[in-house]
């Protein structure tokens, strides 16, 4: 079985920073995609940032220049550095790991990020 643990969420003032971490363990297959999604109340889940083992990186426009994703392919871990946080960043953040070679993918439990003064 695959176990995924997310951490790093919390309450931060506008302009502050947080670093989210996602660690996968157990019988993890070869992963080729790691990404961070978020879902705000009443909103659809959206892709925030992702990397592939082939070297592609995508960052959604609303966080470009403020967020950075870093994947460790050997350890099956991925982090999201979030700087200059804004109230609109408030959401539950989920990590996702995908093999891209079949139906298997894996989701973290979600971690709450709240940006408020």
């Amino acid at each position: 079985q695959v176990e995924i643990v997310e951490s790093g969420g919390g309450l931060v003032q506008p302009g502050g920073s947080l670093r989210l971490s996602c660690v996968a363990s157990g019988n993890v297959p070869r992963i080729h995609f790691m990404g961070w999604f978020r879902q705000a109340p009443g909103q659809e889940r959206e892709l925030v940032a992702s990397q592939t083992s082939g070297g592609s990186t995508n960052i959604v426009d609303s966080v470009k220049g403020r967020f950075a994703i870093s994947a460790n392919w050997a350890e099956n871990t991925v982090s999201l550095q979030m700087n200059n946080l804004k109230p609109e960043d408030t959401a539950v953040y989920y990590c996702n790991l995908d093999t891209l070679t079949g139906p298997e993918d894996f989701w973290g439990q979600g971690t709450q990020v709240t940006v408020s003064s």
Side-chain angles (χ1 to χ4, degrees):
Q1 293 186 354
V2 174
E3 295 182 280
I4 297 181
V5 177
E6 292 187 35
S7 62
L11 174 64
V12 65
Q13 294 185 358
S17 298
L18 287 172
R19 186 177 181 89
L20 306 183
S21 177
C22 177
V23 179
S25 62
N27 190 21
V28 185
R30 182 65 60 88
I31 298 297
H32 294 285
F33 171 97
M34 298 188 191
W36 287 94
F37 296 73
R38 68 184 181 187
Q39 188 167 19
Q43 304 295 318
E44 295 182 354
R45 188 173 297 186
E46 67 170 345
L47 177 63
V48 178
S50 65
Q51 285 188 339
T52 67
S53 60
S56 296
T57 300
N58 283 283
I59 307 291
V60 71
D61 286 344
S62 60
V63 306
K64 195 168 295 181
R66 301 188 295 118
F67 290 13
I69 187 171
S70 180
N72 185 320
W73 300 99
E75 300 293 333
N76 287 321
T77 64
V78 61
S79 64
L80 184 69
Q81 179 66 47
M82 305 185 294
N83 298 324
N84 193 22
L85 283 159
K86 302 177 179 180
E88 63 203 68
D89 297 319
T90 296
V92 178
Y93 285 71
Y94 301 88
C95 62
N96 176 257
L97 285 69
D98 200 307
T99 67
L100 299 183
T101 61
E104 281 190 307
D105 68 343
F106 309 96
W107 290 90
Q109 81 279 7
T111 185
Q112 176 72 48
V113 172
T114 302
V115 185
S116 176
S117 60

